[in-house]
Amino acid sequence: MTAEAIQNKLFINGEFVDARSGETFATTNPATEEKITDVASAGADDVDAAVRAARAQMEPGSDWQKMKPRDRAKILWRIADMLSARAADIGRIETIDNGKPIFESQYVDTPAAAECLYYFAGWSGKVTGETIPIADNAFTYTLREPVGVVGAITPWNFPLMLAVWKIAPALACGNTVVIKPASNTSLSLLKFAEYAKECGLPAGVLNVIPGRGSVVGNALVDHPGVDAIAFTGSAEVGRGIMARAAKTLKKVSLELGGKSPNIVFADADLEAAARGALNAIFYGKGEVCAAGSRLLVEESAHDELMAKVTERANKMVAADPLHPKTRLGALVSKEQMETVLSYIEAGKSDGAKLVAGGERTDIGTGKGYFVKPTIFDDVEVDHRIAREEIFGPVLATIRFKDADDAIAKGNATVYGLAAAVWTRDISKAHRIARSIKAGTVWINSYNLYDPALPFGGFKESGFGRDQGRDALEKYTQTKSVWVNL
Ligand code: NAD
């Protein structure tokens, strides 16, 4: 793949264009610290142009509104096929922009994005209303209509996949989308827009406008032509968006952060649980909203599990993200690395015991924002590293006495995105699954996703669901029609 293959302009009304101001921002490869390219930086006037283009395709008689749902599905399916065929190209773009191993971007994230498109293509034309009998002299029914122009704002950890989690259901339901990727990682979504155009998506149906959160995000949230905001990102920014969207009473959905408990009972397969604990926190360099960042271990299994977990963590070595065997890449930015390192200091000063990692590392080049897989033991629930989302490869281990203690400690967080339980006792597993306040609970596994299964948060992890039938709720509204007979 050549550098020319990279798209770095705004995608508005089916064309790649410069920002009206001519402004750009640099995007950097976090593994080499080298600039990849300058990306067009949208302003409020570009947002307005994108929203107008998206609105035009919501007008009666537009190409998009005239299109049969099944033909919309065919376009989504074609884009999925193209993503699958070009996973190596777009995966490489994702890896150099984000720092994640090519193993993840090419073989996990891109196929997951394609599967999401296939899944929601299947819903096109199957989102129906119903006839509701109410009286002899009335014929009453409901229509499920698109909400309109969806303003989507997405984070940098799964730049392509999480964007597709919003684009696929929104388009399947007949909406149009204006989306702002995180400025650290705009390139894969711009490439996606190129594929979508090539696959025949009409101009204006999807618009991609990279730029600063405060500028583009605010303009999108304030714009009267945007009907709904679908946000994935931090709780802090989510709170601001919700408050701001109140002014225009937009429909808002928020997929926010987490501090998910990974609960291991002594009767579990400890070998599998150790592997699972590592996958839970070190996959995606720990920059995963659902990361199992709190390992809760039953007292009697503590020593055995910790020996297994630390041994494996010490063997995980950061390496060139473009190498197919690499499993630990670079953190997304210098700023993120510094945040993670400051949490490691907080763990030490709060009195937790550092048993693996705990420092920056490099891959022999002297460059790159790499941090060793880090494990703290003897963490208490009130320590900062047990309460706050670190969003990096740092695991906080907490002991528990019995199931009640595990539930209490598992729920001792403002977040509620995900959790896992490891045990051979099937009743205990289901009891814990019911008692943990989280949107997803895995049993004897971690980090498994499917487009058919809803994903989203309880508590301060947000509301609304991506994926599954539930996602259709965000992108449709019900109209009741009453015919007097
Ligand atoms: P972030 O909140 O800093 O940024 C998310 C997006 O919001 C970016 O596109 C950013 O540019 C934009 N933004 C920033 N300021 C804004 C503003 N004032 N108005 C509007 N938009 C603004 O999050 P991040 O650092 O990119 O991502 C990490 C966070 O995302 C973590 O908290 C993580 O848990 C969360 N996350 C949640 C999920 C989920 O599904 N629940 C998935 C992935 C990430």
Side-chain angles (χ1 to χ4, degrees), residues 153-158 162 165 180-183 211-214 217-218 221 231-235 237 241 255-258 288-289 389 391 417 455 461 466:
I153 303 174
T154 48
W156 44 255
N157 58 339
F158 292 88
L162 292 179
W165 280 17
K180 192 205 96 60
S183 34
R212 286 216 305 280
S214 51
N218 286 350
V221 175
F231 174 78
T232 302
S234 62
V237 173
I241 285 178
E255 300 281 348
L256 308 175
V288 178
C289 51
E389 185 183 47
F391 226 53
L417 193 57
F455 182 80
S461 291
D466 280 331

Side-chain angles (χ1 to χ4, degrees), residues 326-357:
T326 299
R327 294 293 181 271
L328 187 67
L331 300 195
V332 75
S333 64
K334 184 162 187 276
E335 189 190 10
Q336 184 62 14
M337 179 187 69
E338 282 164 358
T339 303
V340 169
L341 293 174
S342 76
Y343 272 110
I344 292 174
E345 290 313 308
K348 289 186 208 161
S349 58
D350 277 347
K353 189 166 136 198
L354 182 67
V355 293

Side-chain angles (χ1 to χ4, degrees), residues 120 165-166 169-170 230-232 252-256 416-418 437-440 451-459 461-475:
F120 282 107
W165 280 17
K166 305 215 182 293
F231 174 78
T232 302
V252 174
S253 58
L254 302 174
E255 300 281 348
L256 308 175
L417 193 57
K437 294 180 171 51
T440 294
L453 213 59
F455 182 80
F458 279 29
K459 294 157 72 182
S461 291
F463 48 83
R465 292 291 176 269
D466 280 331
Q467 309 268 67
R469 183 200 291 242
D470 290 42
L472 305 171
E473 296 295 327
K474 296 207 297 206
Y475 302 110

Side-chain angles (χ1 to χ4, degrees), residues 25 78 108 195 297 362 388 404:
F25 62 87
R78 276 205 294 277
V108 183
Y195 295 172
V297 192
D362 83 284
E388 297 177 21
D404 287 345

Side-chain angles (χ1 to χ4, degrees), residues 44-67:
D45 44 359
D46 300 302
V47 174
D48 186 54
V51 173
R52 282 171 193 278
R55 274 244 77 83
Q57 284 290 11
M58 288 310 300
E59 292 300 323
S62 66
D63 292 346
W64 191 237
Q65 297 310 312
K66 277 192 309 200
M67 193 179 285

Side-chain angles (χ1 to χ4, degrees), residues 345-480:
E345 290 313 308
K348 289 186 208 161
S349 58
D350 277 347
K353 189 166 136 198
L354 182 67
V355 293
E359 58 189 1
R360 186 177 181 175
T361 182
D362 83 284
I363 58 171
T365 58
K367 296 276 186 198
Y369 311 127
F370 298 91
V371 173
K372 284 187 181 171
T374 297
I375 301 178
F376 280 100
D377 200 358
D378 295 336
V379 178
E380 302 294 336
V381 284
D382 60 346
H383 287 176
R384 269 187 71 201
I385 59 166
R387 286 186 289 113
E388 297 177 21
E389 185 183 47
I390 300 174
F391 226 53
V394 181
L395 181 63
T397 310
I398 301 168
R399 299 173 197 235
F400 68 83
K401 286 196 220 42
D402 53 24
D404 287 345
D405 195 28
I407 292 164
K409 285 176 172 159
N411 285 331
T413 169
V414 295
Y415 293 111
L417 193 57
V421 188
W422 298 80
T423 175
R424 288 191 171 99
D425 179 337
I426 192 165
S427 307
K428 185 159 66 182
H430 289 291
R431 270 203 312 276
I432 304 270
R434 278 192 195 174
S435 308
I436 291 290
K437 294 180 171 51
T440 294
V441 181
W442 289 288
I443 294 173
N444 295 328
S445 61
Y446 208 99
N447 266 341
L448 299 178
Y449 306 89
D450 190 277
L453 213 59
F455 182 80
F458 279 29
K459 294 157 72 182
E460 292 187 23
S461 291
F463 48 83
R465 292 291 176 269
D466 280 331
Q467 309 268 67
R469 183 200 291 242
D470 290 42
L472 305 171
E473 296 295 327
K474 296 207 297 206
Y475 302 110
T476 54
Q477 52 195 343
T478 303
K479 179 182 282 174
S480 296

